[in-house]
Every structure is written in structure tokens, then in C-alpha cells.
Amino acid sequence: MATAAKVPDKGRIIMDKAQARPLAGVVGFFDGPAPLIEAVKKVRAANYESFDAYTPYPIHGLEKVQGLKRSPLPFVTLGAGLTGFMSAVMLQYGTSVISWPINVGGKPLWSWPAFVPIMFELTVLFAGLATVGAMFLINGFPNTKKRSFDPNVTRDRFAVMIDAPKLKTAEELEDMEAAEIARYEKKLAAFKKFEEQEALQFLKGLGAVEVKSVEERGWFE
Amino acid sequence: MGHDAHTIKNPGSLKPNPGLRTLFIVLAVIGLVATVAGISVDAKRGWSSLLLNHFYFMGLAIGGLFIAAIQFLTGAMWSAPIRRISESFTAYLPVVLLGFIAVGLGAHQIYEWTHPEVVKGDLILEHKAGYLNLTFFWIRNIIAIIVWIFFGVSMVGSSVAQDKDGAYSHTAKNKVRAPLFLALFALTFTMVSFDLLMSLDPHWFSTMFGVYCFAGSFYASLALTTVITVLLKRAGYLDGIVNDNHLHDLGKFMFAFTVFWAYIAFCQFMLIWYANLPEETMYFMHRMEGKWMYVTTFLLIGKFLVPFFGLLTRGAKRSEKRLLVVGCWMLFAQWIDLIWLIQPEFHKEGAVIGWIEVAPLLAFGGVFAFLVHRFLSNNTVVAIRDPKLEESVFHHHQ
């Protein structure tokens, strides 16, 4: 239960190793998009290290309230598209002009209009595949270490989850350099300290119709 | 979230601006006089410039109705605040009929198939004479324009009537008219493009020509809709109605149809280039030789690459200034495209742009601006009781 136990001598925040399954976070369920957006505003203002909102359909403006940054995905698309374009140019120049120069209908070897469809198609192919691949990489799917805390958030429930911070065990802390420990503690100190009961009460206070703690559990556990 | 106390402030109509009205009338009159002078100085050049500018503003007007019709057809929500602006272009549709009659009067100067001595002995033209003859030319084009005017008056009329009574039946009627209009539009616009522009070279043919002309006209109509939206927004008419998300949608639309135009233009070119049949390649030979190659290159860069990269990023599509600059540029590029379509048949050495070309631009442009301004002065600048308006302003676009 207790996630944030204190090491007696130094007063550091560590993970309680006795706990079988560490806490993933606490979840509050809300009545619909409007109460959810209001709650997300306050959760963000509370300055927890990490939280996320779960909705059955996209809600415009939610990403702004959550403070999500823009995805780097368009740059992947642009870069891959240009790569595809150049690949098509080089492939066709190499085959039609350098390696196998064949006179077709008296046209020049580098008859670029005939090659434009390939340039277009490879641009689209590279850009499309890279975008899908990069999207999975960026959003971390598939992540078998995490499972849905409630399948109904894809159907009719609106939820906010405040994630428990990843804490180090006492052994891990002992193995770390002093500078590393200082960085770790500085990072923890920059955010509101996560206490399970307090966070549950906090979500309830925001008007959640139901709150619960969620344990870490993978797909196959 | 209809339970929230959302209210949309009715922006009303454009405030009367007699100075602007007078300016448009003066421009139109000066243009008209100069057009007549141009025709008397150089008949071929004068009539072909008249055709060029008639087609330009015809495309803007019918493109505006096309934009409105696809919003009704798809039941679009995003466009509810800007639909009235594209509808305003249809105020010019009756002038399209006059413009066509003017072009028809000069048909002998610009269409060689109207000369019996040219047709006689020319196997291809004799074969086409059943279609390419002046009587049928007049009949079919006037019918096409009357169909456009009919749908313009009835669809925009219903849309405007809804401002007063707010009845859903207006939207319901337009949902029936829109698909009818779009089907007829595809046929009639192709026919008008064939007749007015493709028959300038009566030996040449391209089945894609109608789509090419449509792509350019729609491209320009979208640009003009965006430009006027930004101008009205800057003048404060669209406060609390049109926000960055609507501009973003318009920007995406412009971007998409920049690509669409390039796609169609290249498809038409590549098929003819590849097949290499003499009667087809002549068209592009005229346009890729000598100084005409500069204009062809301008179309590739100016009509495609500049708007493409100018509107590529998200920030650009949400920026009023960028949309305004790129929109005006696209309107210019479409005009050059019509130069490229028309002038090589008359000036083999290169494009000619002088006062004779600009005169009908002022004449038709002055009338177009006057009528659109009058439409927006007599009607609210937003379809204020459109059933989708509130959703578009508050719900979808936070």
C-alpha cells in the first residue's frame, strides 16, 4: 500500500520493496467531456509529475487543457517523404540512364515526366509507412507492461489517471552516484509529492463519480 | 454542449460604403470603355482578352456555388460560418450570361471553326461540325448558364431565407438540390470549358480538359473565399464566429486543391507527352517552345510549388496574414493559367500582357466586386440561423 516510505537515515523517497505489485496511479471517472475538462485543468494546476486523460472519443481542446506539446510526427512525415522522393529519382536515374540505357520511342534517357508517378508513389509510400511506424514508437505502443485499468474508457467512461512516480528502491539508491541521486531528488522535488490517499481525495474533490487505485499489471500477468 | 449559454452575435450586413461602391462602378465603366477600345484597336487580342476575363470571373462565381453545394451535400459543420461568403459570388451569375453573349459576339474573331471556308476541306473540322457550329454553341451554352443561375438563385435564395425564419426546410431543400446541381455542373462546366477554351484549337482534344478548368476555377474560388473571410474578420465582422480552426480548415482546403490542380495538370500533360501523337502534342509544343516555356515553368512553380510550400505547415494555415498573401497569389496564378490556356493560340512568340488584357479584368472585376459587395450589404455576412452554425462555432472548434 504505502508507496512512499522514508529511509530513516536520509529521509529519501524510495519504493517499498515489500509491495507485491507497485501502484500505477489513481484514477477518477467523470460524467462527461465537460466535467472531465474542468477536472483536467485542476489536475494540471496541481503539478503532479504525470497524468493522462482517457476518453472514448477525441475531445477537441482536451490536448490544450492537458498541456500536451505538438507531436514531432509531421517532421518524420516530411523527412520520409523527401527520402522517398530522392530514392525514386536515384533509382530511376540509376536504372534508366546509368546501368541500362535503352532508347524508348526516341525519348531522352532521362525522360523525367515518365518518372514522376514513381516519385509520387515512393514519396507517399515512405511517408505513409514512416508516419505509422513513428506514431507507434512515439506513443509507445505496444507496451505489454501496462494494461487498461477499465475497458469501458473506450466505450462510455471519461477518466483522469494521476500516475505514481517511478521510485527507486533502497538498493538502487545505494548503487547510485551522489550526483545521480541529487538529480533524482531534484526531479521529484520539482513536482507535487504523490500520496495515494491524498490523490484519491483530490480527484473526489474534483467531482469524480468514482475513484480507484490502480496496480501495475501487464498484458500477460 | 447546448446547455451552456452560448450566443452568437449577429454580425449583420456590411456597413454601407458608398465610396467603395463608386470605386467599383468607376473601375467597371473604365474597364468597359477600355475593352471596347481594345477590341477596336486589335480585334483578335481584344476579344480573346474578353474571353480570358469572362472565364476567370465565371469560374469564381460558379466555383462559389460549387463550394456551397458540397457543404449542403455532405452536411458539413465546419463550414457553416464561411458558407455565406462563397454564396455571395453567385450574385455575379447573371452577368455570366451577359459575358457569354459578349464572347459569342466575338466568336468569329477567336474561333476558327466558325469560318466555313476553314472547315471546308479540313477532315477533322468537317467531322466535328455537327457539334462545333454556332447555332448549337449558342443554345447549349445559354442553357448551361441558365441551369447555373437557376440553382444559384434557388439554393442561395433558400440559404438567405433561412436567416429570417430559421426553418430547417431550407436546409432540407438544399440537400436535395445540391446533388442535382453537382451532377449537372460536372456536365455543363466540362461542356463550357470545351466550347470556350478547348475549341480555340479545334483540332486538339483532351477528355481531361474540363476537369483541368474546374480544378483551376475551384482553386481560385477557394482562395477568394479565404481572402474575403480574412478581410471580413480583420474588419471585425466575424468576431466570435470564425476562429483559427475555421481558417485552418480553409487553409487545408486550399492546400488540397493546389495539389489537385497539379495532379490534374500533370496527368493531362504526361498522357499526351507519353503517347506522343502529333495531333495531341501540338498543344504542348506551342506552350513549351520559346518564351512560352517561361509561362509553363511559372505555372509549375507559381501555381503549384509556391502555395504548396506556403501552406504546408500548420502554423501557415492558421495565420491570417499567410492565408491572405497566398490567397491573393493563387488568384493571380489562376489568371496567368488562363493566359497560358488562351494566348498561345494567338501569340506564338510569348505571353502578351498590356492594357488590352487588363481592361476586361477591370470591367468584369469591377462588376464582380460591386455585386458581391452589394450581396453582402443586403444579407448577413454569416448564415446566422444555419442549424449547424452554433455547433461549428462552439462545439467542434474550442
Side-chain angles (χ1 to χ4, degrees):
Chain A
M1 237 358 192
T3 42
K6 289 185 174 174
V7 177
D9 53 354
K10 288 175 181 168
R12 280 185 184 135
I13 303 162
I14 57 162
M15 190 173 79
D16 182 2
K17 261 210 96 184
Q19 195 182 356
R21 281 191 192 285
L23 189 72
V26 297
V27 178
F29 294 93
F30 293 86
D31 249 346
L36 180 85
I37 283 183
E38 288 312 306
V40 165
K41 279 183 192 159
K42 288 179 188 129
V43 171
R44 189 183 169 201
N47 190 31
Y48 282 106
E49 184 179 336
S50 153
F51 71 92
D52 207 348
Y54 298 82
T55 61
Y57 52 82
I59 295 173
H60 285 274
L62 183 59
E63 72 284 356
K64 234 178 251 166
V65 187
Q66 259 184 286
L68 294 182
K69 289 195 196 73
R70 278 205 70 205
S71 155
L73 205 55
F75 295 99
V76 175
T77 312
L78 180 69
L82 290 175
T83 309
F85 179 83
M86 287 313 295
S87 307
V89 171
M90 291 190 295
L91 171 73
Q92 295 176 98
Y93 191 86
T95 51
S96 304
V97 180
I98 300 173
S99 304
W100 295 276
I102 296 172
N103 184 332
V104 180
K107 288 187 163 68
L109 291 175
W110 177 243
S111 287
W112 66 266
F115 303 150
V116 166
I118 314 290
M119 296 175 198
F120 173 79
E121 294 299 345
L122 282 198
T123 305
V124 173
L125 180 72
F126 277 49
L129 290 180
T131 305
V132 174
M135 178 195 74
F136 282 137
L137 275 180
I138 291 170
N139 66 22
F141 181 86
N143 180 355
T144 59
K145 298 231 166 66
K146 268 174 112 175
R147 84 156 64 165
S148 168
F149 54 81
D150 184 346
N152 285 341
V153 290
T154 62
R155 195 164 62 199
D156 58 2
R157 305 203 80 179
F158 300 82
V160 179
M161 176 164 176
I162 301 174
D163 303 312
K166 293 271 167 288
L167 297 175
K168 307 275 185 203
T169 59
E171 288 89 354
E172 279 174 328
L173 274 183
E174 268 166 33
D175 291 342
M176 283 160 71
E177 303 279 332
E180 249 180 295
I181 294 176
R183 252 203 315 279
Y184 167 65
E185 286 178 345
K186 199 175 161 201
K187 191 180 147 213
L188 285 181
F191 297 101
K192 180 180 164 68
K193 194 172 159 202
F194 179 85
E195 298 272 16
E196 184 184 2
Q197 290 308 320
E198 193 193 329
L200 288 171
Q201 287 308 316
F202 173 62
L203 286 176
K204 222 171 205 162
L206 297 181
V209 289
E210 183 192 332
V211 294
K212 68 173 186 181
S213 297
V214 178
E215 290 178 334
E216 270 184 17
R217 191 182 283 268
W219 290 7
F220 309 111
E221 292 171 49
Chain B
M1 282 173 279
H3 56 271
D4 293 1
H6 291 314
T7 46
I8 298 171
K9 193 177 138 281
N10 188 338
S13 316
L14 289 187
K15 290 179 200 76
N17 190 337
L20 205 57
R21 276 191 163 204
T22 317
L23 175 72
F24 294 147
I25 295 172
V26 169
L27 283 179
V29 172
I30 293 175
L32 189 63
V33 172
T35 304
V36 174
I39 289 170
S40 55
V41 170
D42 184 339
K44 261 195 183 358
R45 197 176 150 192
W47 285 112
S48 64
S49 313
L50 186 87
L51 167 67
L52 189 161
N53 291 292
H54 162 67
F55 200 91
Y56 184 76
F57 288 100
M58 180 193 91
L60 288 177
I62 196 67
L65 185 57
F66 182 84
I67 295 174
I70 51 180
Q71 310 313 323
F72 286 121
L73 179 76
T74 56
M77 169 179 66
W78 71 271
S79 58
I82 55 97
R83 202 190 63 235
R84 179 58 48 80
I85 292 163
S86 56
E87 284 172 355
S88 72
F89 305 165
T90 61
Y92 179 80
L93 279 176
V95 183
V96 171
L97 190 60
L98 298 179
F100 170 73
I101 291 170
V103 170
L105 293 177
H108 272 293
Q109 295 293 337
I110 44 182
Y111 300 114
E112 58 170 314
W113 53 263
T114 59
H115 298 267
E117 70 278 11
V118 174
V119 175
K120 200 159 187 269
D122 186 323
L123 277 180
I124 292 177
L125 294 191
E126 276 180 357
H127 191 67
K128 289 185 179 177
Y131 181 85
L132 276 185
N133 60 73
L134 268 176
T135 318
F136 193 27
F137 176 82
W138 280 101
I139 294 171
R140 62 180 182 257
N141 279 283
I142 286 178
I143 289 175
I145 296 167
I146 287 173
V147 167
W148 297 351
I149 295 174
F150 168 76
F151 279 101
V153 168
S154 58
M155 285 171 73
V156 178
S158 283
S159 173
V160 167
Q162 193 173 46
D163 290 353
K164 302 210 168 57
D165 58 18
Y168 181 76
S169 60
H170 298 300
T171 304
K173 277 183 209 154
N174 277 348
K175 277 174 184 276
V176 177
R177 290 176 187 134
L180 280 174
F181 164 70
L182 290 168
L184 288 171
F185 171 78
L187 295 171
T188 51
F189 193 82
T190 302
M191 189 196 78
V192 171
S193 307
F194 281 13
D195 284 353
L196 292 186
L197 299 183
M198 201 167 88
S199 81
L200 288 168
D201 182 350
H203 294 99
W204 184 72
F205 55 92
S206 161
T207 47
M208 285 188 77
F209 195 78
V211 187
Y212 180 87
C213 292
F214 158 74
S217 296
F218 187 45
Y219 168 104
S221 284
L222 281 172
L224 187 62
T225 305
T226 309
V227 166
I228 295 182
T229 302
V230 172
L231 290 178
L232 287 179
K233 189 164 154 51
R234 287 196 168 177
Y237 285 103
L238 302 174
D239 287 343
I241 297 175
V242 169
N243 57 36
D244 285 357
N245 294 304
H246 298 106
L247 294 181
H248 192 180
D249 290 338
L250 280 169
K252 284 186 264 189
F253 223 155
M254 283 160 74
F255 180 78
F257 279 86
T258 298
V259 178
F260 180 74
W261 173 83
Y263 184 87
I264 296 297
F266 184 75
C267 281
Q268 178 171 271
F269 166 73
M270 193 190 72
L271 292 178
I272 290 172
W273 171 86
Y274 210 104
N276 213 6
L277 302 173
E279 72 268 29
E280 289 179 350
T281 48
M282 281 314 291
Y283 192 80
F284 285 103
M285 294 289 283
H286 289 323
R287 286 162 178 77
M288 296 176 76
E289 277 173 353
K291 285 189 184 155
W292 276 111
M293 191 60 201
Y294 295 124
V295 184
T296 305
T297 312
F298 172 85
L299 288 183
L300 171 66
I301 296 171
K303 202 174 182 194
F304 172 53
L305 293 177
V306 168
F308 182 88
F309 286 105
L311 294 172
L312 185 59
T313 64
R314 183 175 189 267
K317 295 190 202 81
R318 298 172 78 90
S319 147
E320 281 180 21
K321 195 179 164 198
R322 180 67 68 88
L323 289 175
L324 196 61
V325 172
V326 176
C328 290
W329 174 261
M330 286 165 72
L331 287 168
F332 168 68
Q334 166 66 5
W335 198 76
I336 298 294
D337 189 10
L338 282 168
I339 292 263
W340 182 85
L341 285 169
I342 293 170
Q343 282 197 351
E345 308 304 337
F346 304 100
H347 311 286
K348 302 286 176 211
E349 323 70 43
V352 182
I353 298 175
W355 67 273
I356 296 182
E357 279 68 33
V358 175
L361 178 67
L362 294 183
F364 288 120
V367 174
F368 186 89
F370 174 81
L371 290 173
V372 169
H373 185 265
R374 196 182 67 167
F375 181 94
L376 292 175
S377 304
N378 294 343
N379 302 293
T380 52
V381 297
V382 171
I384 197 68
R385 295 180 77 175
D386 187 281
K388 306 252 180 193
L389 184 66
E390 184 183 300
E391 205 181 358
S392 180
V393 173
F394 296 114
H395 190 121
H396 182 62
H397 290 287
Q398 284 179 19

